[in-house]
Amino acid sequence: MAAVAVVCAAVQTTPAGALELKPGTEHVNVTSDDVMGNDQSRYATISANGRYVAFWSYASNLAPGDGDDAADVYVKDLRTGRVHWASDLAEGMDRGSPTVAPSISADGTRVAYPTLDGTEAHVHDIRTGRTELVSDGTDARFNSANAPFLSGNGRYVTFTARPEQEPGTPPRIRVRDLRRGTGEWVDDPVAGEGQQVARPSLSHDGRHLAYLASDPAAADSDTHAYVLDRRTDRRTRVDPECADDPAEYSVTDPVMGADGRHVSFRFKCRTLWPRGTNDTGDVFVKDLGNGALRHVLGPKPQFATHTGRLSADGRHVVFVAAEERVPRGPLQVIYRLDLRTGRTDTVTARPDGTANQRPASGPSTDAHGRAVAYDAVPLDLLGESSTATDRQVLVTRLR
């Protein structure tokens, strides 16, 4: 493992009149005229091109016309500094707490999100200002298990739901083609008629779909992670066997890589060769091309990892390590692992290069693993340059 990296990045060329992309770590929930959001912001996701960050915020001063205290979805253009209000719905946003990050297209022009009451999901196009309902005749309760996931090309969106005319049936996976305005159901024959499916996600082109599935009525009622090739209808189980440890086995949080070849997930199995996982599980990356399985751990391998997110090129994975700090309890530190070289860098590094001392969470990364968006307490990471004590959305640029 590499030594902890002091975060820095080259300044990028920007159009005339636009803001330059600053090296290191900076606020996202701030307007182009340097107005900081007046309430907490969380659950960020960055576009593959590294230019846009979508996030939830309770702030009421980030966009003209948004004067309520309900959480809303915004998209920040890191090049120009403009903050776009993506959830400006005619009926408004109900009060509630977001539980998952919005989903953004690779070019940052489209963002998918559920309403806070979970009854609807939308895709907003920041170029046209058009907001499209994606539920399309389904009965869904949108939450962290079935939040809408947008393919990188912005064409497809997936979620779990039931047909409106069959509200008592088990949930099924829905994939909607936004270009054609059509939708299709994706069933899992492995799970059987009592199938339970959750957390669908798509590759950039929408061809590969990762999800969780189980059949409570089957002899093996365990939940497993699968990847479906929608072109060939081939399904591949991605979580490994867990021999002699059935009580400890679990798999969660599968996320399809944009390249359609890699998938990340969290897995718990203390008997897994060669040394097992931590008590609460760790992040793994499966290469569907050669079958290789990579156990993702931080510089201190005794601590569990979670929330693994892959770069679009499949080379880097960002993740959170729950590092125990006595007597304060577990502290969430964000790292980036280069799957090719094995180098690990600290994303949430303080100005002196040491790891953050206050929790950070929800990382996502751009196509090449150079920029990482997440939420944290900025006072810890930016020192005296920030006085904010609530969770805020930040972006860090690494070498």
Side-chain angles (χ1 to χ4, degrees), residues 165-222:
Q165 65 274 23
E166 303 175 27
T169 60
R172 301 160 66 186
I173 297 172
R174 185 74 169 171
V175 177
R176 182 162 173 77
D177 186 331
L178 299 173
R179 181 183 301 171
R180 295 182 177 178
T182 59
E184 64 178 285
W185 295 103
V186 179
D187 293 320
D188 186 346
V190 177
E193 294 183 359
Q195 65 175 342
Q196 298 290 331
V197 291
R199 293 191 174 276
S201 59
L202 292 163
S203 58
H204 175 85
D205 60 4
R207 173 175 172 175
H208 294 88
L209 172 77
Y211 61 97
L212 292 173
S214 64
D215 181 0
D220 175 9
S221 60
D222 289 330

Side-chain angles (χ1 to χ4, degrees), residues 18-60:
L19 298 177
E20 289 189 342
L21 298 181
K22 301 175 183 178
T25 298
E26 63 178 280
H27 287 282
V28 171
N29 53 304
V30 58
T31 65
S32 57
D33 51 355
D34 293 327
V35 175
M36 179 70 65
N38 56 10
D39 208 330
Q40 66 171 309
S41 299
R42 296 196 66 180
Y43 301 110
T45 183
I46 192 169
S47 59
N49 63 8
R51 176 172 174 174
Y52 298 91
V53 176
F55 61 96
W56 286 94
S57 180
Y58 287 97
S60 60

